[in-house]
């Protein structure tokens, strides 16, 4: 921008972290300009020196309408939500097929009669598809009602207005999914119904299709265990990021963002806030650790060799280290215009690059952007413990902190930060009111630092919450299918159970029989679900620089919980047949 000073927009080295925008003529493909842009760099930048220093700096154009989706965090989010959605659709379809197959015994005579009157395979297929179409139509209506009823929750989850979801492409995709579900939910049951012989119109039909039922139940159990394990992996990753030792304190920290305001305005707000009894200590800073950091290069007096690139946390007024709880190993924070405090990692790096074995405090350095002339030396006044810069993506570079004392050029502040004696809605309101009194016509909002930190990890939380919801729905769908299976099996085997009870079988033994029928299937689902969760979880964790180690405990806990719910459902739904009077069961034979 024109308001930048000339040294900022005329130089070819640095300023590489800003976003630049280019408008092309109609019909120009951005990819055709790559070679020309690289030629421009070679003519204006010391590319050979960059490569010797291990740096490759290439500019390229990305279409603005594709930037969002091509972002790695966005694409990973879309991938995980797509997996959850596909598994839920598959689980619902499998459950529908399972319930349809379970009705074969009850509907066998109907199908036999239809065949006696000339119904062929096409007629049976049309019948089943018609029923499936009706159910899908009802489900679409109910889904729309749920979406409209939960509009606020959905918009918060997606960070988008609800209307933006109903584009022609999205509606077409939803229609295509419904069509696929219709075919899958109709063709498989229709194939089974077509195999029912005509003779069933005149005699009882005993085909149970038990293998089909167990297969579909196993698929549902696998989906549920998979989602439960992946959700717990994301939850552990989220908790690790949120509860990780950041190297600074933020529990009682409040922030006022005053971007673009003059230094005098900062002083007014800072002075007013300092008088509040709720505020323990306050300061003004250029950067917040969670916001990440720009960078500059370090070199020594008498040398033009730039040694390393650092994360520049820029300026802070006196007392900022106390507000943020930054711990100093040696020396103190910068309070004079020509002073700079550096991190432990900075010193360790300089030991390797410059042989600083006798310590860093008192030594002079140049730092690009800050050192405009050969006389702009900065004296290291203190060394602080490394703290986490950034949120999900951590800046691993050594860092530096400058003084916000007058006389420092260039100079800027952005935030007023304060440590509260106690963080509460009342204390936040007191600070907000104080800021409003100073600038009644400005919309300056006071927020808790922790809220900003939570927002930084919001994408991970959304994935975690979405997988949690998906796991719950998948478990409910699986239990519905399991309840249908147990109900069908108890009806089909009622005479067998009656004979067993007459011969001395106890209710617990009857329940145990049904549990044993399902248990091998559950164990296979546990193995398959854990393997799938391990593979997908490992891929998903690659998008985090700091990765949690899930450990075997997560899988064991998830397996135990899901298996316990499944077996409890089997036991509860087997109670009726285990307590039933055997005479009542035999009367119907």
């Amino acid at each position: 921008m024109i308001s930048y000073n000339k040294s900022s927009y005329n130089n070819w080295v640095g300023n590489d972290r800003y976003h630049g925008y280019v408008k092309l003529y109609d019909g120009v493909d951005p990819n055709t300009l790559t070679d020309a842009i690289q030629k421009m760099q070679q003519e204006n930048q010391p590319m050979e020196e960059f490569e010797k220093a291990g740096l490759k700096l290439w500019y390229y154009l990305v279409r603005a309408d594709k930037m969002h989706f091509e972002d790695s965090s966005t694409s990973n989010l879309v991938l995980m939500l797509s997996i959850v959605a596909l598994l839920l659709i598959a689980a619902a379809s499998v459950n529908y097929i399972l319930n349809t197959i379970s009705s074969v015994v009850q509907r066998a005579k109907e199908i036999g009669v239809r065949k006696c009157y000339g119904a062929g395979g096409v007629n049976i297929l049309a019948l089943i598809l018609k029923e499936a179409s009706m159910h899908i139509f009802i489900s679409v209506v109910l889904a729309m009602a749920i979406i409209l009823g939960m509009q606020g929750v959905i918009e918060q989850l997606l960070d988008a207005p609800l209307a933006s979801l109903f584009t022609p492409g999205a509606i077409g995709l939803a229609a295509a999914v419904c069509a696929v579900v219709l075919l899958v939910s109709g063709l498989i049951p229709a194939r089974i119904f077509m195999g029912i012989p005509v003779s069933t119109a005149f005699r009882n039909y005993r085909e149970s299709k038990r293998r089909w039922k167990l297969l579909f139940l196993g698929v549902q159990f696998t989906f549920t265990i998979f989602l439960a394990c992946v959700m717990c992996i994301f939850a552990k990753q989220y908790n690790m990021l949120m509860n990780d030792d950041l190297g600074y304190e933020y529990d009682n920290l409040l922030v006022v963002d005053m971007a673009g305001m003059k230094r005098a305005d900062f002083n007014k707000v800072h002075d007013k806030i300092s008088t509040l009894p709720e505020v323990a200590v306050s300061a003004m800073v250029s950067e917040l650790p969670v916001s990440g950091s720009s960078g500059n290069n370090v070199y020594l007096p008498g040398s033009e060799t730039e040694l390393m690139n650092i994360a520049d946390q820029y300026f802070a007024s006196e007392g900022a280290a106390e507000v943020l709880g930054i711990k100093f190993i040696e020396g103190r924070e910068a309070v004079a215009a020509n002073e700079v405090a550096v991190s432990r990692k900075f010193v360790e790096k300089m030991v390797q690059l410059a042989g600083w074995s006798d310590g860093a405090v008192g030594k002079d350095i140049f730092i690009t952007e800050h050192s405009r002339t050969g006389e702009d030396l900065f004296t290291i006044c203190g060394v602080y413990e490394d703290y986490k810069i950034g949120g999900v993506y951590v800046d691993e570079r050594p860092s530096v902190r400058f003084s916000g004392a007058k006389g420092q050029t260039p100079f800027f502040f952005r935030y007023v930060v304060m440590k509260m004696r106690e963080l509460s809605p009342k204390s936040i309101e007191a600070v907000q009111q104080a800021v409003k009194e100073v600038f009644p016509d400005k919309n300056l909002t006071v927020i808790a630092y922790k809220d900003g930190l939570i927002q930084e990890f919001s994408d991970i939380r959304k994935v975690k919450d979405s997988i949690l919801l998906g796991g719950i729905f998948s478990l409910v769908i699986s239990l519905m299918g399991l309840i249908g299976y147990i109900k069908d099996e108890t009806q089909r085997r009622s005479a067998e159970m009656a004979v067993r009870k007459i011969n001395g079988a106890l209710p617990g033994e009857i329940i145990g029989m049904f549990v044993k029928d399902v248990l091998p299937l559950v164990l296979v689902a546990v193995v398959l679900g854990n393997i799938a969760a391990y593979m997908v979880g490992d891929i998903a964790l690659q998008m985090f620089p700091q990765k949690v180690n899930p450990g075997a405990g997560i899988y064991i806990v998830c397996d135990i919980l899901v298996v316990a719910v499944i077996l409890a459902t089997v036991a509860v739904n087997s109670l009726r047949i285990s307590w039933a009077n055997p005479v009542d069961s035999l009367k119907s034979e």
Side-chain angles (χ1 to χ4, degrees):
M1 294 186 175
I2 297 300
S3 58
Y4 287 6
N5 59 52
K6 186 175 293 186
S7 62
S8 178
Y9 60 76
N10 277 358
N11 67 319
W12 281 87
V13 180
N15 292 338
D16 50 87
R17 294 200 173 206
Y18 296 119
H19 293 289
Y21 297 91
V22 178
K23 185 174 183 179
L24 303 180
Y25 287 106
D26 290 341
V28 177
D29 181 357
N31 294 325
T32 62
L33 299 177
T34 302
D35 292 340
I37 292 173
Q38 292 184 0
K39 181 180 178 182
M40 174 195 73
Q41 287 186 254
Q42 290 170 341
E43 292 175 352
N44 293 279
Q45 293 178 318
M47 303 301 287
E48 292 183 1
E49 293 182 19
F50 287 166
E51 291 183 8
K52 288 179 181 178
L55 171 67
K56 290 186 178 181
L57 180 65
W58 292 112
Y59 303 145
Y60 56 92
L61 302 181
V62 178
R63 285 181 48 157
D65 59 349
K66 293 184 177 180
M67 282 181 64
H68 184 64
F69 188 75
E70 290 181 354
D71 178 69
S72 60
S73 61
T74 303
S75 58
N76 286 327
L77 177 64
V78 171
L79 176 62
M80 293 306 302
L81 293 179
S82 299
I83 291 174
V84 174
L86 289 173
L87 289 182
L88 282 177
I89 292 171
S93 301
V94 166
N95 194 57
Y96 182 82
I97 295 170
L98 177 63
N99 286 323
T100 305
I101 293 174
S102 297
S103 68
V104 169
V105 175
Q106 288 79 17
R107 300 188 62 182
K109 193 175 291 293
E110 172 202 340
I111 300 299
V113 171
R114 287 179 181 273
K115 287 187 174 183
C116 286
Y117 280 90
V122 175
N123 303 104
I124 302 300
L125 175 61
L127 173 68
I128 302 301
L129 288 177
K130 180 181 177 181
E131 293 174 354
S133 299
M134 180 185 68
H135 292 138
I136 287 179
F137 174 76
I138 293 173
S139 71
V140 169
V141 172
L142 291 175
M144 288 302 301
I146 293 172
I147 289 172
L148 294 175
M150 301 181 64
Q151 179 176 348
V153 176
I154 293 172
E155 288 181 341
Q156 183 180 7
L157 184 66
L158 298 180
D159 281 337
L162 193 61
S164 67
L165 302 182
F166 295 99
T167 62
I171 294 172
L173 180 59
V177 170
C178 290
V180 172
V181 172
L182 173 63
L183 290 176
V184 172
S185 302
L187 291 177
I188 295 177
R191 175 68 183 84
I192 294 173
F193 276 99
M194 289 178 194
I196 296 176
V198 179
S199 58
T200 56
F202 311 103
R203 63 180 176 80
N204 289 335
Y205 185 68
R206 291 293 182 184
E207 180 61 53
S208 69
K209 303 297 179 185
R210 186 169 178 271
R211 291 182 179 177
W212 279 93
K213 297 175 190 176
L214 291 175
L215 173 63
F216 290 133
L217 272 178
V219 171
Q220 290 180 314
F221 294 158
T222 302
F223 289 167
T224 302
I225 291 169
F226 166 80
L227 288 174
C229 292
V230 172
M231 186 278 295
C232 287
I233 291 172
F234 265 89
K236 189 171 183 179
Q237 175 69 29
Y238 178 75
N239 290 334
M240 184 272 285
L241 291 174
M242 284 300 300
N243 299 317
D244 188 27
D245 181 9
L246 303 183
Y248 60 92
E249 299 170 3
Y250 61 88
D251 288 337
N252 292 330
L253 203 63
L254 289 183
V255 178
V256 184
D257 189 345
M258 298 179 59
M261 299 189 73
K262 299 177 181 178
R263 175 169 183 137
D265 297 333
F266 278 85
N267 290 332
K268 290 177 184 177
V269 172
H270 178 257
D271 293 343
K272 179 67 175 180
I273 288 173
S274 300
T275 63
L276 297 177
E278 294 88 352
V279 176
V281 61
S282 61
M284 300 172 287
V285 297
S286 302
E287 304 281 356
L288 297 175
V290 71
S291 303
S293 188
S294 184
N296 279 303
N297 295 332
V298 177
Y299 57 104
L300 297 176
S303 171
E304 296 183 358
T305 302
E306 294 180 347
L307 299 175
M308 62 177 168
N309 188 258
I310 46 91
D312 195 337
Q313 290 281 274
Y314 287 96
F315 311 103
S317 65
E318 188 172 355
E322 181 184 356
V323 175
L324 294 172
I326 296 174
K327 302 175 181 64
F328 273 79
I329 307 167
E330 177 181 9
R332 52 170 174 79
E333 67 179 337
V335 294
N338 65 336
E339 292 182 335
V340 63
V342 301
S343 66
R344 177 194 288 270
K345 192 179 292 184
F346 182 102
V347 179
E348 292 173 349
K349 195 77 173 176
M350 290 302 287
V351 169
Q352 300 173 11
L353 298 174
W356 282 11
S357 57
D358 56 342
V361 175
K363 288 187 167 57
D364 294 330
I365 56 174
F366 286 104
I367 298 180
T368 55
E369 184 182 1
H370 299 272
S371 299
R372 300 279 172 164
T373 68
E375 298 178 357
D376 290 336
L377 276 171
F378 288 89
T379 302
I380 297 175
C381 60
V383 180
Y384 55 85
E385 283 285 3
D386 292 297
Y387 57 85
K388 186 176 179 180
I389 298 176
V392 176
Y393 300 100
V394 180
D395 195 331
E396 299 289 352
R397 296 174 297 173
S399 64
V400 299
R401 299 181 62 86
F402 290 90
S403 166
K406 290 183 179 180
Q408 176 68 49
T409 304
F411 174 90
F412 68 93
F413 282 143
R414 176 167 178 176
Y415 306 98
V416 175
V417 292
M418 65 219 77
K419 180 183 289 186
M420 309 300 292
R421 300 186 192 280
E422 182 183 1
L423 192 61
S424 66
K426 185 177 179 180
S427 62
I428 296 175
E429 179 59 29
V431 174
Q432 183 69 71
Q433 188 61 36
V435 174
K436 195 70 176 176
E437 289 177 10
V438 178
F439 292 106
D441 57 334
K442 301 285 187 180
N443 187 24
L444 300 177
T445 305
V446 178
I447 62 170
Y449 189 94
K450 190 170 185 178
D451 291 342
L453 200 62
I454 291 173
Q455 184 62 34
E456 184 71 20
F457 301 130
S458 61
D459 282 348
I460 307 172
R461 179 176 52 79
K462 289 173 185 175
V463 173
K464 174 182 71 71
D465 293 345
S466 299
I467 296 175
L468 173 61
L469 289 174
I472 292 172
F473 286 133
S474 179
L475 181 59
V476 170
I477 292 171
S478 299
L479 295 180
M480 289 170 61
L482 179 61
I483 291 170
Y485 168 78
I486 297 299
K487 181 179 178 181
D488 187 50
E489 283 295 290
T490 55
Q491 289 177 350
R492 187 180 67 85
R493 301 175 64 183
S494 60
E496 174 196 343
M497 297 299 108
V499 172
R500 289 180 178 274
K501 291 174 70 175
I502 290 169
N503 283 282
L506 298 173
E509 294 174 325
I510 301 296
I511 294 173
M513 289 179 58
F514 287 100
V515 171
K516 288 178 182 178
D517 284 346
V518 176
L519 188 57
L521 187 68
V522 174
L523 295 178
V524 172
V526 165
V527 174
L528 296 178
N530 286 349
I531 292 174
Y534 176 80
M535 295 173 64
V536 172
D538 186 61
I539 294 172
L541 289 176
Q542 296 306 314
M543 63 181 175
F544 303 109
Q546 290 179 298
K547 293 178 280 291
V548 72
N549 179 17
I554 277 185
Y555 299 96
I556 294 172
V557 171
C558 289
D559 294 343
I560 291 175
L561 291 176
V562 174
V563 171
V565 172
I566 291 173
L567 296 184
T569 303
V570 174
V572 170
N573 285 272
S574 304
L575 287 175
R576 188 181 63 83
I577 190 65
S578 65
W579 290 344
N581 189 334
V583 175
D584 294 334
S585 299
L586 293 175
K587 279 181 181 179
S588 61
E589 292 300 311

